[in-house]
Amino acid sequence: MEQYLTRRAQLASNMNSGVAVIPTAPEQLRNRDAHYPYRFDSYFYYLTGFGEPEAVLVIVAASEKTPARHILFCRDKDVEREIWDGFRYGPLLARETFGFDETYAVAQLDDLLPRLFADQPVVYSTIGHDPAWERRIAGWINTVRAQSRSGVTAPHQISDYRTILDEMRLIKDAHELQTMRRAAGISAQAHCVAMQATKPGKFEYEIEAELLHVFRRHGAQAPAYTSIVAGGANACILHYIDNSAQLNAGDLLLIDAGCELDGYAADITRTFPVNGRYSPAQKDIYELVLAAQQAAIDQARPGNSWNDPHQAALNVLAQGFVDFGLCQGSVDAVLESEDYKRFYMHRTGHWLGMDVHDAGEYKQHGEWRTLQAGMTLTVEPGCYIRPAENVPQAFWNIGVRIEDDVLITSEGNEVLTAGVPKTVNEIEELMR
Ligand code: GLY
Ligand code: MN
Ligand code: MN
């Protein structure tokens, strides 16, 4: 629980003064009375390690007279409900187990929050995230204001705690990195199994099942996002998740999948031939994307700008698009006109952590931010060639993406997902 105490203390110290109220995510109905599997709110879990629904973290910043207070509101023990739904900590056990100063039943929020808000200048909440919840916060502020004749003052400012927490979440601590390495290792293994299981005639969902099997077999709770298992032309649909088509000899298979382990995501893409051998045209495009990815990874180091890996990938891709007759004119002209976007229309990566597209700003004061040790990001260039008149037919319907998870270190970087092969020879060898 040490890491959660440290993070709460850091939040409290960044708040300066005021009260932060951080609810976990609600349970979500799927249909009628069936729920989606529960997933906690990332900010809440980052600060608590507490995985139950119906819980709220309250942090009161230290004042001159009192130290900071870490308070958890959670579900009461309930023997009847526990028979149906399973164990609940309840306030008493939650307090001992998770290191809070105070814990209360969540039913006491309406009573206690106005008292905690009294004489506090700032409430840290979300702004524009959950209107119903934000109305409750406003209601508690109004309750304090209604008591002004008894001498209390109401908070006069609402600030978004995500601004503080996004910056904290951007730099991963040792505990987070340990979990992310495990999530990356399980996901890498799942991709290897998927490559070995792929054969002409199988269906995309059969390969998806192989991924899920490896994730769960190693204790990952879920895929971090819906797996993309896209054979042939489906690889050119960036968010293809039907995973329903049959796999054909001569096509490529693009798999973008990663597990979530203890709240942390992995995000890996590999693209390989259904029959185990790249055709010459597939190999041309594949090795171009691989060269772009390597150029981008080489730029992922401390002191470089967030945009340097993207620019490195673009330079390689634009040269290749000209060489292969996909784009016309000079490389500079292709970059300038953004003609490359016909084949490469997304950016080269994103922050990675508890959320697959993780928290953290990409620009500061209008400039791309500087990479720092402890940041984790994906590097994922691609090339997607739809049939078109002015495109050489040999390349039609080839879609390739290669994605790895990268930790910025003080010396450069570490590829967390290196456990899954990506050169043509390595992949063909594994598939043999
Ligand atoms: N799998 C989501 C992404 O690659 O960004
Ligand atoms: Mn990604
Ligand atoms: Mn991905």
Side-chain angles (χ1 to χ4, degrees), residues 233-430:
N234 293 337
C236 296
I237 304 168
L238 294 179
H239 292 163
Y240 176 81
I241 53 171
D242 282 354
N243 304 348
S244 58
Q246 199 165 18
L247 299 171
N248 301 312
D251 280 349
L252 291 174
L253 177 60
L254 181 154
I255 297 182
D256 184 344
C259 70
E260 178 177 299
L261 177 74
D262 299 343
Y264 286 83
D267 184 6
I268 303 178
T269 307
R270 290 293 184 268
T271 311
F272 53 92
V274 168
N275 62 6
R277 298 276 293 182
Y278 291 87
S279 74
Q282 290 167 348
K283 190 171 171 203
D284 281 344
I285 300 301
Y286 185 84
E287 293 195 320
L288 172 63
V289 175
L290 187 59
Q293 201 220 18
Q294 194 52 56
I297 291 175
D298 291 345
Q299 290 302 312
R301 48 184 149 86
N304 273 11
S305 132
W306 165 260
N307 201 49
D308 287 343
H310 181 58
Q311 192 57 54
L314 281 185
N315 294 344
V316 172
L317 288 173
Q319 179 69 59
F321 294 168
V322 169
D323 294 346
F324 292 141
L326 294 165
C327 293
Q328 279 67 47
S330 71
V331 171
D332 285 343
V334 167
L335 289 168
E336 170 70 23
S337 65
E338 301 189 341
D339 189 38
Y340 60 81
K341 284 191 172 171
R342 287 188 292 133
F343 309 107
Y344 182 45
M345 58 296 282
H346 60 77
R347 290 192 54 89
T348 303
H350 48 83
W351 305 128
L352 180 75
M354 298 195 77
D355 300 315
V356 64
H357 297 165
D358 205 34
E361 297 287 358
Y362 292 89
K363 282 192 172 181
Q364 283 183 315
H365 317 296
E367 301 286 340
W368 294 112
R369 75 185 302 154
T370 302
L371 297 173
Q372 264 174 263
M375 293 174 167
T376 46
L377 54 130
T378 66
V379 179
E380 51 176 308
C383 173
Y384 315 91
I385 309 174
R386 288 166 173 270
E389 245 177 41
N390 55 352
V391 171
Q393 205 164 340
F395 297 124
W396 284 10
N397 293 319
I398 292 179
V400 173
R401 177 163 67 256
I402 307 172
E403 174 172 32
D404 281 298
D405 303 345
V406 174
L407 162 68
I408 306 294
T409 62
S410 52
E411 290 85 37
N413 68 54
E414 175 188 336
V415 177
L416 303 176
T417 44
V420 48
K422 63 180 170 182
T423 67
V424 164
N425 282 339
E426 286 167 353
I427 289 176
E428 290 186 348
E429 175 66 28
L430 180 67

Side-chain angles (χ1 to χ4, degrees), residues 16-250:
N16 232 342
S17 64
V19 188
V21 186
I22 302 170
T24 196
E27 292 177 285
Q28 297 284 357
L29 277 179
R30 184 174 185 275
N31 54 314
R32 182 90 63 173
D33 58 351
H35 285 85
Y36 283 103
Y38 182 66
R39 170 54 157 78
F40 42 74
D41 175 79
S42 297
Y43 294 100
F44 175 87
Y45 192 81
Y46 176 77
L47 295 167
T48 61
F50 189 73
E52 290 183 18
E54 298 182 76
V56 179
L57 169 69
V58 176
I59 304 236
V60 185
S63 69
E64 278 164 22
K65 287 171 251 157
T66 50
R69 295 161 72 189
H70 301 183
I71 306 169
L72 180 76
F73 290 82
C74 66
R75 300 181 302 190
D76 252 333
K77 294 296 285 178
D78 182 335
V79 175
E80 175 66 14
R81 281 323 315 165
E82 290 184 55
I83 288 171
W84 290 88
D85 301 331
F87 172 80
R88 311 175 161 197
Y89 276 94
L92 274 178
L93 194 55
R95 185 172 150 206
E96 291 166 21
T97 313
F98 295 88
F100 293 100
D101 301 314
E102 299 160 53
T103 51
Y104 302 99
V106 70
Q108 287 183 273
L109 273 175
D110 287 330
D111 272 349
L112 295 183
L113 264 276
R115 293 194 221 167
L116 290 166
F117 282 2
D119 296 324
Q120 293 288 350
V122 191
V123 171
Y124 286 85
S125 175
T126 48
I127 298 174
H129 168 65
D130 178 349
W133 176 258
E134 290 158 17
R135 272 197 300 278
R136 272 187 92 182
I137 295 272
W140 295 322
I141 293 174
N142 280 339
T143 304
V144 185
R145 197 174 284 120
Q147 296 159 358
S148 63
R149 283 184 300 280
S150 66
V152 293
T153 57
H156 61 266
Q157 191 185 330
I158 293 183
S159 194
D160 199 319
Y161 55 72
R162 293 176 296 185
T163 309
I164 300 174
L165 288 172
D166 286 354
E167 285 301 298
M168 288 171 56
R169 284 175 56 186
L170 195 49
I171 307 291
K172 272 61 181 180
D173 63 30
H175 179 262
E176 296 185 282
L177 289 176
Q178 196 184 359
T179 311
M180 288 185 72
R181 284 201 176 87
R182 288 175 53 219
I186 294 167
S187 304
Q189 195 176 330
H191 277 262
C192 293
V193 167
M195 281 180 192
Q196 291 173 303
T198 295
K199 282 190 189 63
K202 284 205 176 183
F203 284 82
E204 291 164 345
Y205 52 75
E206 294 182 76
I207 309 305
E208 181 184 13
E210 298 288 342
L211 299 161
L212 292 172
H213 182 234
V214 178
F215 292 169
R216 287 298 281 148
R217 188 151 58 88
H218 292 91
Q221 288 80 7
Y225 52 92
T226 306
S227 304
I228 296 172
V229 182
N234 293 337
C236 296
I237 304 168
L238 294 179
H239 292 163
Y240 176 81
I241 53 171
D242 282 354
N243 304 348
S244 58
Q246 199 165 18
L247 299 171
N248 301 312

